[in-house]
Amino acid sequence: GKPFDNVRLVSCGGRQTAFLTTDDELYVFGSGGDYAPETKGVKIDYSKQIEGFKQGIRTVSCGNGILMVVTNDNKLYMRGDLPRALTGSWQRPRILMLIILDNVPKNVDITKVSCSEAMAFLAGGKLYTINQSNETSVASGRQDGNIIGQVPGFDNVTDLSCGGGNLSFINDGKLYDITGYDNKINQIFPPVGQQFSKVKQASRGISHGAFITEDNKLYTYGSAGDWSD
């Protein structure tokens, strides 16, 4: 296949990879979707363009057999291992389906998405989660049976990352974590009562996380390390 020299964003998760070009074209390869065969760890020499988004694509994320796409006209599309409460069926959507966002203001842009077993997105500085069931949960914003909920109490969220069933996010320069096993919000950094530089970027894995502060120091937490820089 042809080499790509115009890639502006890439996302990997599970067994698939998605990337966007500077021309707003979306490509996917790997076995996590129906778009391309298993790469089996060999050199990538093919990919499949996902067409049909003439309005252009803003951002993309893939993980755990799921693909999330946000178009320039502020619409969210998803496919893969999605919750039945979201799709209305036990079957995996094989094509990208439009997700109805009734509880997200129409004039607010979706700026970032992230997915694994956990799924979430940012819009207008607020954090929204896409949940596996419609049971009410204060931590993830599930209320009134709506599977998409806004996490309450955080109005200046600047970054998020999903890993396994966990979600980390940055609000007002502080790092928070929602773990899949207890669904509680925990402040990870800085430790309560201590002063550190603000957090500017975060990444979450299944059993650990990492983040960078504004003074360009790298920290890890969980089983991969304990407050290392």
Side-chain angles (χ1 to χ4, degrees), residues 82-99:
L82 305 180
R84 182 187 181 192
L86 188 65
T87 65
S89 171
W90 286 111
Q91 296 182 344
R92 295 175 52 191
R94 299 182 62 185
I95 60 174
L96 286 160
M97 61 176 289
L98 177 65
I99 306 301

Side-chain angles (χ1 to χ4, degrees), residues 8-9 20 24 26 56-61 68-72 75-76 110-113:
R8 66 174 174 86
L9 188 149
L20 294 176
D24 282 342
L26 170 63
I57 298 173
R58 179 180 301 154
T59 189
V60 64
S61 177
M68 301 178 71
V69 174
V70 179
T71 54
N72 286 335
K75 293 181 179 178
L76 173 64
I110 300 172
T111 54
K112 187 170 183 179
V113 292

Side-chain angles (χ1 to χ4, degrees), residues 34-159:
D34 300 305
Y35 308 119
E38 173 78 64
T39 60
K40 300 185 183 302
V42 300
K43 182 179 69 173
I44 300 166
D45 58 2
Y46 51 79
S47 59
K48 176 68 174 179
Q49 183 180 359
I50 311 305
E51 299 178 337
F53 295 100
K54 296 181 180 179
Q55 63 273 52
I57 298 173
R58 179 180 301 154
T59 189
V60 64
S61 177
C62 61
N64 197 42
I66 296 170
L67 180 65
M68 301 178 71
V69 174
V70 179
T71 54
N72 286 335
D73 59 352
N74 209 42
K75 293 181 179 178
L76 173 64
Y77 294 82
M78 298 178 67
R79 69 163 303 280
D81 293 325
L82 305 180
R84 182 187 181 192
L86 188 65
T87 65
S89 171
W90 286 111
Q91 296 182 344
R92 295 175 52 191
R94 299 182 62 185
I95 60 174
L96 286 160
M97 61 176 289
L98 177 65
I99 306 301
I100 304 300
L101 304 175
D102 291 331
N103 55 341
V104 179
K106 303 298 183 183
N107 61 341
V108 174
D109 286 345
I110 300 172
T111 54
K112 187 170 183 179
V113 292
S114 183
C115 60
S116 185
E117 293 176 34
M119 296 164 281
F121 60 92
L122 296 184
K126 300 181 185 298
L127 174 64
Y128 294 84
T129 58
I130 302 173
N131 304 285
Q132 294 292 342
S133 71
N134 55 10
E135 297 177 1
T136 298
S137 168
V138 174
S140 58
R142 291 198 301 263
Q143 297 176 0
D144 302 325
N146 195 332
I147 194 170
I148 299 176
Q150 179 193 335
V151 178
F154 300 94
D155 297 321
N156 190 28
V157 182
T158 54
D159 196 18

